[in-house]
Each structure stands twice: as structure tokens, then as C-alpha cells.
Amino acid sequence: MTAVDYVPHRGGLAALRRAAADCHGCELYKDATQTVFGEGPADARLFLVGEQPGDREDVEGAPFVGPAGKLLDRALVDAGIDRAEVYLTNAVKHFKFTLPERGKRRIHKKPGQGEVSACRPWLLAELDRVEPELVVLLGATAASALLGSGFRLTRHRGEIVELEQGVPAVATVHPSAVLRAPDREAAYQGLVADLTVAARHQA
Ligand code: URA
Ligand code: SF4
């Protein structure tokens, strides 16, 4: 299964967003509340890609509005990037989760390669409409979506690489990984350092 048949060939971001609301390109639409499409200016120079919406994002319908989003906001400020000027999206547009027990909080489940591939047509369509100067890949899932599963984040984070689409990109850790890191401050500073590479590249 794939989203390809749902993606309109014509129209801008607004047309994509409308069509994505009805995507059945994989199974994830069934249990999630709504499609969480990318957000930001159509002429953004920086294009940031996360993994998939979390619990908050699923409820609110907007990317990076939960705890990982708060951390990302702070890191962007520290790297000298204005969130209002970047386009922010996810590799996968529906929240994948498990319900461990009745009444318990929904637990985020990492999307598989099948879901990442199924959803990639949306990501490529967003990239095509925004035409950014630089793409920032937040975490291994985003990196695998645009650089392939052979890309080694630990080895190549913070390096400017070229996407198949002819756009430069830089990969870094996911903000959620910073929240889980044993040395949170060091992980946070690493994220800020990589975002600073992105800020300088497009300056
Ligand atoms: N994590 C992500 O990768 N994306 C979001 O939108 C929120 C949390
Ligand atoms: Fe479509 Fe992506 Fe949602 Fe799957 S996750 S239904 S491909 S928008």
C-alpha cells in the first residue's frame, strides 16, 4: 500500500493538505484521530522532518506541539532559527500507538519501513512544493525516509549531504531521543550544534 494514489499532481500545499486528510495509503489512518500534515510557509528556506505525530499532535492536528515539540522550539531558538519561518513536517502523517491497558495512555509505536515508504509520496510532494534550501532530518526514521535505510545517523549527523532530489540535507537526533538520553544536556547541545550547521548553511 502507498499514498501515491491520494497525492494530487496539481495545486499547492493547501491542496495537498486537503487530500491528505482522506489518505488511506496504509493502515495507520484507522486508529489515529486525524492526518497531521506539515505546517509552515510555502516559501520556507528550511524544511524540517520528524518521525510521526505523537499523542498531542494526533489530538491537535499539528506537528511538534507536544513535549518533543517544546524541546525542539528551545533548540531552534538556541540555534538562531525562527520556528515561524521553517516548514515542519513528519515522515509519517498518522500517529501509530498501542493501547497497553484500558484507560491507560496511548503509547507511541515506531513506524516501520512499510509505513515510511507508504507515506513518502506526501513528504516528496511537500518537498516539491516548498523547494527549500536545506532539509533537516530529525532522527533515524526521517533520515531513512529521504536518505535510505543504509544511512548511518551516528556516523554522519551534522554533515551536509545531498538528497536524491538535489537538495542539501543535514541529519541530527530526534528531540524525543534527547528527552530519553542519559546525559540530556550533552544530547541537547548536540542537537543545537547540528541545527546551528543548518542555520549557517542557509544564512
Ligand atoms: N515527534 C515527531 O517526530 N513529530 C511530531 O510531530 C511530534 C513528535
Ligand atoms: Fe496515508 Fe501516511 Fe496516514 Fe498512511 S500514515 S494513511 S500513508 S497519510
Side-chain angles (χ1 to χ4, degrees):
M1 278 164 86
T2 161
V4 78
D5 294 335
Y6 297 89
V7 181
H9 298 294
R10 302 165 66 93
L13 286 173
L16 291 180
R17 166 186 289 275
R18 272 195 304 275
D22 298 320
C23 182
H24 293 183
C26 76
E27 303 282 320
L28 294 183
Y29 75 92
K30 289 183 179 168
D31 294 328
T33 308
Q34 58 188 319
T35 305
V36 179
F37 205 66
E39 268 187 13
D43 62 352
R45 294 157 70 192
L46 272 183
F47 183 101
L48 271 62
V49 187
E51 182 192 68
Q52 69 171 351
D55 182 82
R56 283 309 313 159
E57 290 78 17
D58 173 73
V59 172
E60 293 190 29
F64 285 107
V65 292
K70 295 286 170 279
L71 187 128
L72 178 62
D73 284 350
R74 191 155 65 85
L76 288 172
V77 170
D78 286 348
I81 298 169
D82 184 353
R83 173 163 170 165
E85 290 183 4
V86 308
Y87 189 81
L88 205 47
T89 191
N90 284 300
V92 171
K93 266 69 170 168
H94 275 104
F95 180 38
K96 182 177 179 182
F97 60 92
T98 48
L99 265 180
E101 282 168 56
R102 236 163 58 94
K104 285 270 168 66
R105 205 167 56 84
R106 300 182 298 174
I107 297 187
H108 161 277
K109 200 158 176 239
K110 194 176 145 65
Q113 273 309 317
E115 288 137 355
V116 172
S117 314
C119 213
R120 189 185 290 113
W122 290 119
L123 186 58
L124 295 180
E126 289 173 291
L127 195 55
D128 173 73
R129 301 312 193 276
V130 177
E131 294 189 280
E133 285 173 18
L134 184 75
V135 173
V136 178
L137 301 161
L138 299 167
T141 300
S144 77
L146 291 180
L147 289 166
S149 51
F151 180 80
R152 289 289 158 258
L153 182 63
T154 45
R155 201 172 302 165
H156 298 294
R157 63 178 292 185
E159 288 177 15
I160 303 286
V161 294
E162 181 97 354
L163 299 184
E164 204 182 297
Q165 289 72 27
V167 187
V170 58
T172 185
V173 290
H174 192 282
S176 298
V178 173
L179 292 172
R180 288 191 310 263
D183 186 347
R184 201 156 146 176
E185 185 52 29
Y188 178 75
Q189 290 308 333
L191 172 62
V192 172
D194 294 342
L195 290 174
T196 304
V197 170
R200 295 220 176 99
H201 183 270
Q202 55 109 53

